[in-house]
Amino acid sequence: ETKAPDGYERMDTPIAFSIGKEQVSEEDGSEENAKITVQLRAYNGQTPASLRLRKVDEKTGQGLKNAVFSLYRKAKEGEKKDVLIQSGLKTDGTGELQADGLLYGTYYFVETKNPMGYELEKIDPETAKTITLDRTTAGQVLELACTNRRMKGKAVLTKTDETGLPVSGAEYMMYRESEQEGYRRVGSVSSSDENGEIHASELEWGDYYWIETKAPRGFELSSERIGFCVNQETVQSVIYRRAVDQ
């Protein structure tokens, strides 16, 4: 073979055949007048392609490392279910991973482990975003991107007196830092419960502080700003802070 069809590997192995009297059958006539047809079969291997996936933060577009994926090929005719091609594919420091040597078919990725601080992307194979490899994509590196949502933070402020006993009825306002306007109020005023606690949830990443707006009877109003930060690391668990009333 001197040139392979588009999308296929050129076959290097010579295809040998012989023509002689051994190939002549009685139906062909005499050896002198026989026309001999020799049937041969040759195979071309598909030229593989590659898939490069980039995992990014949905807000900033920044690449996310340590997301782990499995790569599946959609079931072809005669196959009962989708085929697992590779597992344990992990994004690098730029948020990218690459799967090579892929033959023709329709493929999709499934996230099996989320990056720290991000939600796991749940994929339904029936509606998964797919990409098809065929003769037109042979030898290419096809790229696709997917996003991760940030996990939301939780914080608890515990109000106590100097002896460590919980103080109820202390009112606090929460503020979050804004790039354009400094600190802005978040929600409305919250009061400490019978356990002296104020709970906050669904917090976006950023810098926050609580400040007391009304002290319980018998206590002084505190001007202390009780700060905390919700980020990729702290969002993994509840953030606890403590305030002491005098």
Side-chain angles (χ1 to χ4, degrees):
E1 187 172 36
T2 58
K3 182 180 179 181
D6 290 342
Y8 291 88
E9 299 289 309
R10 186 176 69 84
M11 185 177 179
D12 295 326
T13 305
I15 304 170
F17 63 96
S18 298
I19 296 178
K21 64 180 181 180
E22 290 82 6
Q23 281 74 41
V24 179
S25 65
E26 294 181 359
E27 289 78 8
D28 294 327
S30 66
E31 295 184 16
E32 291 78 9
N33 299 321
K35 292 182 179 180
I36 301 171
T37 300
V38 179
Q39 294 185 345
L40 304 171
R41 181 171 292 179
Y43 296 92
N44 278 103
Q46 298 173 5
T47 300
S50 299
L51 292 178
R52 181 180 298 150
L53 175 70
R54 188 163 191 262
K55 192 69 167 176
V56 299
D57 181 297
E58 66 169 349
K59 293 184 178 294
T60 65
Q62 181 180 358
L64 302 176
K65 66 179 181 179
N66 295 332
V68 181
F69 288 84
S70 291
L71 176 63
Y72 288 84
R73 177 178 55 75
K74 284 282 192 179
K76 297 181 179 181
E77 185 177 355
E79 295 176 336
K80 294 183 178 180
K81 61 180 181 179
D82 296 350
V83 179
L84 174 63
I85 302 299
Q86 294 184 48
S87 61
L89 297 166
K90 183 184 292 187
T91 55
D92 60 18
T94 65
E96 293 185 349
L97 62 82
Q98 183 164 315
D100 299 313
L102 303 177
L103 302 180
Y104 300 169
T106 299
Y107 295 84
Y108 62 91
F109 287 96
V110 174
E111 188 175 32
T112 57
K113 183 180 179 182
N114 49 310
M116 181 176 65
Y118 291 84
E119 296 178 2
L120 182 69
E121 184 182 16
K122 296 180 180 179
I123 298 294
D124 180 357
E126 297 300 321
T127 59
K129 182 178 180 181
T130 61
I131 188 165
T132 298
L133 305 181
D134 54 25
R135 291 176 64 177
T136 65
T137 62
Q140 299 180 28
V141 178
L142 283 74
E143 299 183 349
L144 61 159
C146 56
T147 61
N148 265 119
R149 293 180 180 178
R150 295 177 174 183
M151 296 170 62
K152 300 291 183 66
K154 296 180 180 180
V156 176
L157 173 64
T158 302
K159 187 73 167 178
T160 68
D161 62 17
E162 293 175 310
T163 68
L165 293 175
V167 174
S168 62
E171 296 184 359
Y172 276 83
M173 188 70 220
M174 179 185 286
Y175 290 81
R176 180 190 177 201
E177 186 177 22
S178 168
E179 292 182 2
Q180 293 80 21
E181 304 176 26
Y183 280 88
R184 300 180 61 184
R185 292 199 307 178
V186 179
S188 56
V189 172
S190 300
S191 298
S192 57
D193 59 21
E194 60 183 7
N195 297 315
E197 294 180 346
I198 295 174
H199 293 254
S201 60
E202 296 296 309
L203 300 175
E204 301 283 351
W205 293 11
D207 292 311
Y208 294 81
Y209 70 82
W210 272 296
I211 190 165
E212 192 172 35
T213 58
K214 183 179 179 181
R217 181 178 297 179
F219 293 91
E220 296 179 1
L221 182 68
S222 173
S223 60
E224 179 188 10
R225 291 186 177 186
I226 304 169
F228 63 95
C229 179
V230 178
N231 57 33
Q232 187 174 6
E233 295 181 358
T234 61
V235 77
Q236 298 288 116
S237 57
V238 179
I239 300 170
Y240 291 94
R241 292 293 183 268
R242 184 168 178 261
V244 179
D245 250 337
Q246 297 181 345

